[in-house]
Amino acid sequence: MALETESVSRDKLSLADTEIDWARLDKTIFHIIGAVLFTVQQALIHPTAVVKTRMQVADYRLAHMPGMVVFKDILRNDGIPGVFRGFGTSAIGSLPGRVLALTSLEMSKDMMLKYTQGLNMPETTRIGVANGVAGMFSNLISSLYIVPLEVICQRLIVQGLPGATSYTDPFDVARKVIKAEGFRGLYRGFGLTALTNSPAVALWSLGYRDDSEKKPSHMEMMAVQATAGMVAGACSSVITTPIDTVKTRLQVIDDYGVARPSVLRTTKILLKEDGWWGFYRGFGPRFLNMSLYGTTMIVTYELIKRLSVKHI
């Protein structure tokens, strides 16, 4: 009975922690639970990514339809599998990338906390700065793995659109891209990916604001972080959608009839096709995607950490 009470107390203590560092985590449990919960989270928001991508790449007619109309059109033509195009590849392929991202995030955050230990700043500010810098660093490191996966998934998503190349499976995508351009073809849009994701990840990773008198409770922390994640995602989508539109088109469109696509050429063609409004193609579903991702990512990540605390 005493052991049961002690175990319950430890579990409550883990859930009540507002800051859990890397050394306190059971890494195996952390990555296993993370793989499961983040895959579920990814499944919930994947249809918004499919709608967004098809609107960014499609012709003028489809690109200017409301997101919900495009979603219904995909369901009508392709059924449920249509709104989950590329999900299997993304979910399975993301597992190693997620281990890399989570590990680099926690290790870089620990390093930042150590390096800023002697600085004259409130503790909550120090944690916030460490979280933000760690988020950007983790995004840059994980992009080395994620960008090739993203190129493959994006090309699977746009299959069926006029002018899109047909593929039998993700390995066929990789083979055809490498045959045409070498391995650099799998890194199309790498710089734009870092540019669009790093600010958002940094904002999502920021900790609780200054409050030297009162430490936030677990529920307060989670509520603030979830709200902050949603707001950060929404704001980031407004700022970065033009870059994301160019990046998506750069990753999937081949038939320019001139030379290898570049950021400048892709931008000029988009301007010619659709004017300045073309840079906000797919804004509605991307706004929804990033808002939901910001909230669910924060809540899921904090839950994973609390479930992975070592019980010594």
Side-chain angles (χ1 to χ4, degrees):
M1 187 69 179
L3 287 174
E4 288 180 8
T5 305
E6 185 180 347
S7 176
V8 170
S9 299
R10 280 201 302 262
D11 289 340
K12 286 183 177 179
L13 181 60
S14 298
L15 291 172
D17 281 349
T18 57
E19 188 61 30
I20 300 172
D21 60 33
W22 182 242
R24 293 178 58 196
L25 298 177
D26 183 315
K27 311 304 186 294
T28 303
I29 294 176
F30 177 71
H31 289 305
I32 291 173
I33 296 177
V36 174
L37 293 186
F38 275 125
T39 300
V40 172
Q41 179 228 19
Q42 189 177 354
L44 292 174
I45 63 176
H46 187 79
T48 62
V50 172
V51 174
K52 183 269 302 183
T53 298
R54 291 176 76 88
M55 288 177 71
Q56 288 176 331
V57 177
D59 59 24
Y60 183 89
R61 182 189 64 83
L62 185 65
H64 290 272
M65 287 182 178
M68 185 55 70
V69 174
V70 176
F71 177 74
K72 290 177 179 177
D73 184 63
I74 296 171
L75 275 179
R76 184 170 55 253
N77 294 324
D78 301 324
I80 296 294
V83 294
F84 282 95
R85 279 181 184 268
F87 173 70
T89 302
S90 177
I92 296 170
S94 292
L95 294 177
R98 198 168 286 129
V99 171
L100 179 63
L102 295 179
T103 302
S104 60
L105 175 68
E106 287 299 323
M107 291 183 71
S108 56
K109 185 169 74 172
D110 267 10
M111 288 176 62
M112 280 299 300
L113 287 172
K114 288 175 184 175
Y115 285 132
T116 57
Q117 200 162 15
L119 297 180
N120 183 24
M121 66 171 66
E123 181 67 11
T124 47
T125 299
R126 192 168 71 88
I127 292 171
V129 170
N131 284 346
V133 173
M136 287 194 291
F137 179 75
S138 168
N139 176 67
L140 289 172
I141 295 297
S142 60
S143 290
L144 293 170
Y145 176 86
I146 294 298
V147 170
L149 180 65
E150 187 178 44
V151 169
I152 292 170
C153 290
Q154 298 280 44
R155 286 172 176 259
L156 290 173
I157 287 172
V158 300
Q159 283 194 109
L161 292 177
T165 306
S166 293
Y167 304 102
T168 55
D169 54 50
F171 299 105
D172 188 38
V173 180
R175 278 193 301 268
K176 286 180 177 176
V177 171
I178 292 171
K179 184 178 179 180
E181 299 182 51
F183 279 99
R184 70 175 184 169
L186 293 174
Y187 280 92
R188 280 195 194 182
F190 177 83
L192 294 180
T193 298
L195 188 62
T196 53
N197 290 351
S198 290
V201 173
L203 285 170
W204 285 326
S205 301
L206 288 175
Y208 205 76
R209 292 189 64 183
D210 281 354
D211 188 352
S212 56
E213 305 243 337
K214 179 176 177 278
K215 287 273 186 180
S217 68
H218 167 63
M219 291 306 296
E220 287 175 329
M221 176 70 87
M222 292 289 281
V224 169
Q225 288 180 324
T227 304
M230 180 177 67
V231 173
C235 293
S236 179
S237 68
V238 174
I239 298 167
T240 61
T241 291
I243 303 172
D244 183 73
T245 301
V246 173
K247 181 204 73 173
T248 302
R249 291 170 68 87
L250 178 65
Q251 289 178 332
V252 303
I253 296 178
D254 295 319
D255 190 21
Y256 284 145
V258 193
R260 183 176 184 267
S262 66
V263 173
L264 184 59
R265 189 179 297 113
T266 304
T267 302
K268 285 181 177 178
I269 291 176
L270 181 57
L271 265 175
K272 184 178 178 181
E273 282 183 7
D274 215 3
W276 290 103
W277 285 110
F279 290 100
Y280 276 90
R281 284 185 174 197
F283 173 72
R286 186 166 191 266
F287 181 92
L288 180 61
N289 178 281
M290 294 193 72
S291 300
L292 290 174
Y293 178 79
T295 299
T296 56
M297 187 272 285
I298 291 281
V299 173
T300 303
Y301 184 60
E302 290 300 322
L303 177 61
I304 291 167
K305 285 175 68 176
R306 282 156 179 75
L307 293 175
S308 306
V309 173
K310 295 176 183 175
H311 297 305
I312 302 174

